Amino acid sequence: MTTTDTAPSDTAHSDIAIRDLDDAEFRARYGADRFTASVLGNRMRYIVEHMSTGILRNAFSLILRDWYDFNATISGPPEQNYPMPAVGKSLAAFFGTMSEAVRNTVEEFGPGELREGDVLVSNDPYRVGNHVNDVCFIRPVFHEGRVVSYVSIRAHQLDMGGIVPAGFSATKRNVYETGLVIAPTLLYREGAPVRSTFNLILDNARFGPIILPDIKTINQSLALGERLIRQSIERYGIEAFHGAIRYAVDSSAESMAMALAGLPDGHYSSRESIDADGIDDTVQYEVAVDVRKVGERLEIDFSGTSPQARTCINAAALDAKCAVVMALKFLIDPTEPYTSGAFRSIDLVIPPGTVVSAVPPDGAVFMYWETTQAIIRGIFRALDKALGERAVGGDYGSLNIHNANGVLPGGMPWVGTAQCGGEHGPWGATRHGDADSYQSFYQVNALDPATEAIESDIPAVVLRKEYVIDSAGAGRHRGGAAVRKDTLYLTDAEHWSNPLSTRTATGIGVNEGRSGSQGAVWLFPPEVADVRGRADLVDTDPSVYAGTIPVAGVLDPDTKTTDPAGRYFYFASTPVWHTAPQSMFRYETNGGGGWGDPFGRDPQDVCDDVRDEYVSIAGALADYGVVVVGDPQRDPEGVRVDVEATARARAVAG
């Protein structure tokens, strides 16, 4: 698979940088002056954000309202090869697949078959990327009787059928178990709903009373985007509008090319792993990342990657492409807005039938982000030495999504998804400073559902969200701390737990920094989790784990506490966890990676970390060579550095 976003009209001027064009040359290339092209480029980014605001404000589904699990984009017309000049700021794992999603959907349906007011839908992972719940909604924009642009929204639908309510499980074995697949199909024809398509979706999906109003909201957001684009064309003209699309895409392409030029030529490689699939733990899947850089061009080759998995932990080729551009934007080109032009200098070699390029029917795709996160980590690790001080530490590596459902006492079904697992956690440190400890992982950019919203939606109580001491990767700049979350379920429930990256540390340290801790998941039965009539929470002392049931992680088999030298407990050893009321799940994420030599960290920064309980007094000495005295719990203001003892400790270590 070789990616390109260069339309025929762009190629003639590719040897002259935009910044080197005089005003006449710029106008000749883009059909507008620099100011107008910049205004229109910014306006397109405003349009997709305005579309997104409507969804956030009006969505019924918790996955849209509380998780930001959608993205809005604008694409150019077929004669420009569907360039994508603007994407929203929400789910990053969507925008890298959307240019191909629009092209593939429209071309298969037929560009000449579209009319004003139409909306196309498609959700096939092999056609449009991502998974079947992530439905693409595409609306053409007409001007003087012809299509001049497309506005699109990819939005996660709460359910699309399949064998697991809401879908989140790594145990599904083929495309028929993952849910309804929709080939390019009309959802609206000239503004009117296509009843057969709505029936197809609602007859196969659970939670129709939530899905239907969400689809109506998405349609209105698309209509808003169309109106705003038409206003832009009416004010500035179609030539300027199309020129601004080319300008935005070319600017992005040039920015990435310049960033690549600053990377040393060479061959870099990494091998990253995914713990297991949903059948057993006998296969640890490997993602091979081979990077070859020459001048302003980069090739990434995934040959040598493990064959596609036996369950739906696979990604499709478009998801692999998206992960590549996200990694490179993080590492070398973080300031220029993303467009489809970012790939113009990048070639991908993706053999079919691997865990990052699965094919149907047995190469099921659902938990694609778990596998593509290994791609991002692989690029981070491969380029660590080449980047030097610009390297970025690894994050917590897995969304650890928890999917639960049941029935309320009155008979109403409920579902909770991506709310009460380890969905948020730490990032890795950079040259600029310590890492944040409570974020979405690198390819998501989602919101964190409020505790009050969670507890109003499902019969559960979020008892704890806190950082885990001594879990952050040590470094001159510290990685983010792991997150511990306890959730108590008040009714009978069934659960699917999906922590796919606890077998090894994902928060890789860079530039001499150390890696973060490995996480784990436990089930506390009612007799162990009982908090009724107690003033305190379920303890975190090591002794409490003896009565738990390990769900995932590398643990001491006797004490069931985390132990890097212990036994790996496989996340799907029990495919579906059936629990009684008052059962509790505890999630601990992996820690984020550190940046730089830990013994180069300012002792006062270490002292502050001890005071804030990111680091223990013992950890300060062991990891940083800093002697801290005092009691951070009872007298945090009295905690201080023993300067002389620290000098001696660092001298001995050095």
Side-chain angles (χ1 to χ4, degrees):
M1 174 182 178
T2 299
T3 66
T4 179
D5 195 74
T6 305
S9 59
D10 294 331
T11 58
H13 303 285
S14 60
D15 57 333
I16 305 175
I18 295 173
R19 65 181 180 278
D20 294 330
L21 297 173
D22 62 29
D23 290 345
E25 290 170 329
F26 187 95
R27 181 178 287 277
R29 184 189 292 190
Y30 296 114
D33 58 70
R34 292 178 190 270
F35 180 78
T36 300
S38 297
V39 167
L40 281 167
N42 286 325
R43 181 167 171 79
M44 283 185 272
R45 289 188 285 274
Y46 157 81
I47 289 171
V48 294
E49 286 305 302
H50 208 23
M51 294 165 63
S52 300
T53 300
I55 296 174
L56 275 180
R57 185 177 63 244
N58 297 310
F60 280 58
S61 169
L62 58 93
I63 202 74
L64 299 179
R65 181 197 70 211
D66 296 342
W67 244 90
Y68 216 7
D69 199 343
F70 60 88
N71 211 321
T73 67
I74 293 172
S75 295
E79 61 268 24
Q80 286 188 335
N81 198 21
Y82 304 91
M84 191 174 68
V87 303
K89 296 177 182 176
S90 46
L91 210 68
F94 287 176
F95 63 58
T97 64
M98 285 294 283
S99 55
E100 281 86 358
V102 172
R103 179 190 295 114
N104 293 347
T105 301
V106 172
E107 287 293 319
E108 182 173 343
F109 183 80
E113 301 299 317
L114 290 170
R115 306 173 191 169
E116 290 193 43
D118 285 357
V119 174
L120 278 174
V121 291
S122 182
N123 73 339
D124 180 13
Y126 312 99
R127 286 175 168 100
V128 300
N130 306 116
H131 60 198
V132 294
N133 290 53
D134 300 324
V135 180
C136 287
F137 301 82
I138 302 166
R139 184 181 182 108
V141 179
F142 281 79
H143 175 71
E144 296 181 349
R146 68 186 181 100
V147 176
V148 295
S149 184
Y150 298 89
V151 287
S152 308
I153 292 171
R154 190 195 293 271
H156 185 107
Q157 304 306 296
L158 188 58
D159 187 89
M160 287 300 288
I163 62 172
V164 176
F168 287 105
S169 168
T171 60
K172 296 173 289 185
R173 300 187 181 209
N174 54 56
V175 298
Y176 311 109
E177 295 185 350
T178 58
L180 176 68
V181 175
I182 307 171
T185 304
L186 278 174
L187 183 69
Y188 287 85
R189 176 56 113 181
E190 297 180 317
V194 178
R195 183 179 294 272
S196 59
T197 307
F198 275 90
N199 287 344
L200 175 68
I201 294 171
L202 297 174
D203 286 349
N204 284 278
R206 306 167 183 90
F207 314 111
I210 293 176
I211 294 172
L212 179 58
D214 281 352
I215 291 177
K216 291 180 177 180
T217 294
I218 291 164
N219 182 51
Q220 289 303 312
S221 291
L222 290 169
L224 171 64
E226 179 189 23
R227 289 197 303 272
L228 294 175
I229 286 178
R230 283 181 164 181
Q231 289 174 8
S232 299
I233 294 171
E234 289 168 3
R235 180 168 182 176
Y236 295 99
I238 189 62
E239 184 181 9
F241 176 73
H242 280 162
I245 289 176
R246 295 195 303 273
Y247 171 63
V249 171
D250 287 353
S251 295
S252 177
E254 281 196 5
S255 179
M256 180 62 76
M258 291 173 62
L260 289 172
L263 190 68
D265 287 357
H267 178 201
Y268 313 100
S269 62
S270 174
R271 300 293 183 270
E272 302 299 325
S273 62
I274 302 116
D275 288 356
D277 59 24
I279 292 179
D280 55 48
D281 63 352
T282 60
V283 182
Q284 190 171 10
Y285 291 89
E286 187 173 81
V287 176
V289 179
D290 285 293
V291 182
R292 292 176 176 84
K293 154 64 174 53
V294 178
E296 293 183 354
R297 295 205 65 83
L298 188 78
E299 178 189 85
I300 297 185
D301 187 348
F302 293 103
S303 301
T305 294
S306 296
Q308 61 192 34
R310 300 169 293 179
T311 65
C312 61
I313 67 169
N314 298 295
L318 290 180
D319 304 312
K321 167 186 176 286
C322 184
V324 166
V325 78
M326 281 187 285
L328 294 174
K329 292 295 285 184
F330 259 101
L331 293 174
I332 64 173
D333 185 28
T335 57
E336 183 71 18
Y338 175 79
T339 78
S340 57
F343 256 98
R344 197 173 294 169
S345 297
I346 302 167
D347 297 306
L348 300 182
V349 180
I350 311 181
T354 77
V355 73
V356 301
S357 56
V359 295
D362 295 328
V365 173
F366 201 91
M367 313 291 285
Y368 67 90
W369 59 89
E370 300 290 342
T371 304
T372 52
Q373 191 69 3
I375 293 175
I376 293 176
R377 187 164 65 250
I379 294 173
F380 278 27
R381 195 190 300 270
L383 297 180
D384 175 12
K385 298 297 188 293
L387 290 168
E389 290 193 348
R390 292 185 293 157
V392 177
D395 70 356
Y396 61 110
S398 171
L399 274 186
N400 305 289
I401 282 182
H402 189 98
N403 195 31
N405 72 88
V407 179
L408 296 173
M412 177 71 73
W414 61 269
V415 64
T417 183
Q419 298 165 298
C420 297
E423 292 89 3
H424 290 76
W427 282 15
T430 72
R431 59 178 169 166
H432 301 293
D434 297 343
D436 290 332
S437 296
Y438 197 83
Q439 296 285 349
S440 301
F441 75 172
Y442 285 147
Q443 57 183 311
V444 177
N445 193 33
L447 301 176
D448 178 35
T451 298
E452 295 81 1
I454 295 170
E455 295 177 351
S456 68
D457 281 336
I458 64 174
V461 179
V462 180
L463 297 176
R464 171 184 275 114
K465 284 199 286 189
E466 66 184 14
Y467 298 143
V468 180
I469 199 167
D470 288 333
S471 60
R476 177 142 63 97
H477 296 152
R478 170 183 49 74
V483 171
R484 180 186 293 125
K485 184 188 290 184
D486 291 353
T487 304
L488 187 75
Y489 289 86
L490 305 180
T491 68
D492 292 322
E494 56 184 18
H495 311 259
W496 287 262
S497 181
N498 301 283
L500 272 73
S501 294
T502 62
R503 210 167 186 171
T504 57
T506 61
I508 57 174
V510 295
N511 197 38
E512 300 185 60
R514 299 178 189 170
S515 296
S517 63
Q518 292 165 235
V521 183
W522 300 264
L523 170 59
F524 286 66
E527 63 273 14
V528 179
D530 188 12
V531 296
R532 290 171 293 186
R534 292 169 47 179
D536 56 341
L537 301 177
V538 180
D539 207 343
T540 61
D541 186 87
S543 62
V544 76
Y545 294 99
T548 67
I549 302 170
V551 176
V554 181
L555 310 173
D556 183 294
D558 297 320
T559 65
K560 300 173 186 174
T561 56
T562 54
D563 179 1
R567 169 188 157 198
Y568 171 62
F569 285 81
Y570 164 55
F571 73 91
S573 58
T574 299
V576 186
W577 299 90
H578 295 273
T579 62
Q582 307 299 317
S583 298
M584 189 191 87
F585 279 85
R586 170 170 291 170
Y587 280 77
E588 287 187 9
T589 71
N590 296 342
W595 182 95
D597 181 3
F599 278 60
R601 186 167 176 81
D602 187 325
Q604 186 56 50
D605 290 340
V606 178
C607 182
D608 292 342
D609 282 345
V610 171
R611 181 181 295 118
D612 296 334
E613 297 189 89
Y614 287 105
V615 177
S616 67
I617 288 177
L621 178 59
D623 294 335
Y624 296 96
V626 176
V627 179
V628 177
V629 295
D631 188 336
Q633 291 190 333
R634 293 178 175 81
D635 182 22
E637 297 304 318
V639 173
R640 62 179 180 83
V641 177
D642 186 325
V643 177
E644 294 182 357
T646 295
R648 291 194 296 271
R650 286 189 162 181
V652 170

